[in-house]
């Protein structure tokens, strides 16, 4: 099966076709042929300092008195032959502080984590696998000579579309905050951001004559959303309590507000969040509303991507999402 994703670049929305076979592991890929996007300069040092404050359980003053974090345009050592990107970090001492200078917010977070792992014997992991192992030293180890590290490839990708049903459908922002902190410290800089898209689909389909009741009956319950978003299974997940189908409007709105919080935080750290867009599956009522459109005749309603209605729906979806970001 196929999924369309959109990457929001300055002044343009780029659509990327990918297969529905991402696994929940860290995937690295060369960016030149995938996403024409410059990661350099994204994020802020203050957002990374906040990550260290949360994860290390230090006050902001304690972080600033021991760490000097800075975004720079280039590192002090030249790029090695094996690296396919200029994204990098420098680690050194400056005015008795541990200084990390990096070309993006994510590389800044990763550089700080590199120091904490290699020189302070810390580790950062999921709660269910033991969680973070952190012990604040009485005196922070000195970096004896400058260390420079370049990314081997520009993109470190993480996420799985079905995990947004299995796990993330039940996340609140505190859990997403911990997720983003973990991802930044591990150098992940691209992830799919699927949360809350039902509210955008509802508004989009409303514009084409679909009633809220029809949409709620078509969309699956929260634990099955991955299959109504891009598969051929609809109206599944009733009789199981909150966030089951018919999918409550209040839950859709709450999830979209959560998505905006996630995106605001991810931008501050320097992530590129890949957003979903319309990719062809429709509530079956479209067959009656648009009888001349090239929609599959039985079962799930799939719209031919060459039909003029496809681009109209896709544009409306993007317009609504961008207007309410």
């Amino acid at each position: 099966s196929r999924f369309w994703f959109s990457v929001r670049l300055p002044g343009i929305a780029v659509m990327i076709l990918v297969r529905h076979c991402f696994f929940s592991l860290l995937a690295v890929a060369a960016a030149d042929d995938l996403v024409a996007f410059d990661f350099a300069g994204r994020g802020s040092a203050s957002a990374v300092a906040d990550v260290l404050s949360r994860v290390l359980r230090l006050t902001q003053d304690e972080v600033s008195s021991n760490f000097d974090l800075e975004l720079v345009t280039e590192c002090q050592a030249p790029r090695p032959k094996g690296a396919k990107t200029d994204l990098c970090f420098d680690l050194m001492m400056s005015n008795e502080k541990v200084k990390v200078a990096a070309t993006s917010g994510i590389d800044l977070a990763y550089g700080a984590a590199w120091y904490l792992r290699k020189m302070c014997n810390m580790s950062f992991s999921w709660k269910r696998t033991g969680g973070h192992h952190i012990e604040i030293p009485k005196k922070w180890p000195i970096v004896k000579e400058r260390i420079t590290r370049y990314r081997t490839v520009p993109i470190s990708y993480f996420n799985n579309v079905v995990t947004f049903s299995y796990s993330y459908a039940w996340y609140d922002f505190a859990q997403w905050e911990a997720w983003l902190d973990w991802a930044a410290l591990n150098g992940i800089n691209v992830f799919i951001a699927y949360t809350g898209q039902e509210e955008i689909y509802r508004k989009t389909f409303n514009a084409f004559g679909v009633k809220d009741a029809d949409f709620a009956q078509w969309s699956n319950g929260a634990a099955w959303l991955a299959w109504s978003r891009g598969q051929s299974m609809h109206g599944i997940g009733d009789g199981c309590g909150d966030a089951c189908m018919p999918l409550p409007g209040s839950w859709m709105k709450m999830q979209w507000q959560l998505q905006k919080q996630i995106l605001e935080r991810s931008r501050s750290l320097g992530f590129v969040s890949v957003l979903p867009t319309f990719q062809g599956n429709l509530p079956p009522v479209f067959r009656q509303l648009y009888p001349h459109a090239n929609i599959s005749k039985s079962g799930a309603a799939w719209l031919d991507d060459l039909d003029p209605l496809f681009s109209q729906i896709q544009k409306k979806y993007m317009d609504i999402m961008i207007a309410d970001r």
Side-chain angles (χ1 to χ4, degrees):
S1 57
R2 301 180 301 172
F3 274 84
W4 282 97
F5 297 91
S6 64
V7 176
R8 184 76 181 124
L9 307 183
I12 187 170
V14 177
M15 318 310 295
I16 305 170
L17 176 63
V18 296
R19 291 286 177 183
H20 183 144
C21 59
F22 282 124
F23 301 96
S24 52
L25 49 79
L26 177 63
V28 253
D32 293 344
D33 299 326
L34 182 61
V35 181
F37 195 92
D38 189 359
F39 292 89
R42 291 179 60 89
S44 71
S46 61
V48 174
D50 289 342
V51 172
L52 297 183
S53 177
R54 286 189 294 271
V55 173
L56 301 179
R57 298 184 293 276
L58 298 174
T59 66
Q60 291 183 341
D61 286 342
E62 287 172 325
V63 171
S64 63
S65 63
N66 290 287
F67 292 89
D68 180 5
L69 305 173
E70 182 184 6
L71 285 180
V72 295
T73 56
E74 60 183 7
C75 287
Q76 295 189 29
R79 185 174 86 177
K81 291 183 178 180
K84 297 180 180 179
T85 175
D86 289 323
L87 297 171
C88 57
F89 71 83
D90 285 322
L91 179 63
M92 66 200 88
M93 299 301 296
S94 177
N95 298 322
E96 299 184 347
K97 295 182 183 182
V98 177
K99 181 177 178 64
V100 186
T103 52
S104 77
I106 296 301
D107 291 287
L108 190 61
Y110 183 75
W114 192 96
Y115 167 80
L116 296 170
R117 289 187 180 98
K118 299 290 186 180
M119 305 191 71
C120 304
N121 201 31
M122 297 185 190
S123 65
F124 310 100
S125 189
W126 301 105
K127 277 188 177 181
R128 292 188 179 184
T129 59
H132 302 327
H133 289 271
I134 295 166
E135 185 173 346
I136 303 301
K138 293 181 180 179
K139 183 176 177 59
W140 292 96
I142 293 174
V143 182
K144 294 182 179 179
E145 58 183 24
R146 190 193 74 244
I147 297 168
T148 300
R149 292 286 185 274
Y150 280 80
R151 282 181 176 269
T152 304
V153 293
I155 289 179
S156 296
Y157 165 85
F158 184 86
N159 239 335
N160 182 333
V161 292
V162 296
T163 307
F164 282 84
S165 294
Y166 296 151
S167 299
Y168 302 150
W170 320 113
Y171 271 31
D172 58 19
F173 184 67
Q175 290 166 298
W176 270 110
E177 180 175 70
W179 191 100
L180 291 167
D181 289 349
W182 169 85
L185 293 172
N186 281 279
I188 295 162
N189 57 9
V190 175
F191 71 95
I192 56 172
Y194 246 33
T195 300
Q197 63 182 277
E198 279 64 38
E199 178 64 1
I200 305 302
Y201 270 118
R202 182 189 67 81
K203 292 179 179 179
T204 300
F205 291 155
N206 281 171
F208 290 87
V210 177
K211 297 177 181 178
D212 285 351
D214 289 327
F215 179 81
Q217 289 289 345
W218 169 77
S219 183
N220 290 338
W224 295 268
L225 285 175
W227 290 270
S228 56
R229 287 169 174 172
Q231 297 294 316
S232 300
M233 298 168 62
H234 302 286
I236 297 173
D238 60 348
C240 60
D242 293 342
C244 292
M245 61 88 53
L247 201 61
S250 59
W251 190 85
M252 288 187 265
K253 291 180 173 64
M254 176 271 291
Q255 286 286 292
W256 178 244
Q257 291 305 313
L258 176 59
Q259 168 80 325
K260 290 197 280 190
Q261 285 183 279
I262 294 166
L263 294 177
E264 181 179 10
R265 177 60 59 81
S266 67
R267 292 185 191 108
S268 74
L269 289 168
F271 288 102
V272 170
S273 307
V274 184
L275 306 176
T277 190
F278 176 68
Q279 38 69 52
N281 61 326
L282 299 166
V285 71
F286 265 89
R287 294 189 180 109
Q288 287 75 53
L289 293 172
Y290 298 88
H292 299 295
N294 190 7
I295 300 172
S296 56
K297 301 302 182 185
S298 61
W302 285 94
L303 176 62
D304 183 354
D305 57 7
L306 297 179
D307 191 289
L309 182 60
F310 189 101
S311 61
Q312 294 169 29
I313 296 173
Q314 191 173 73
K315 181 180 186 303
K316 176 61 70 174
Y317 182 100
M318 295 298 294
D319 287 347
I320 290 172
M321 182 172 62
I322 293 168
D324 192 23
R325 56 187 171 171

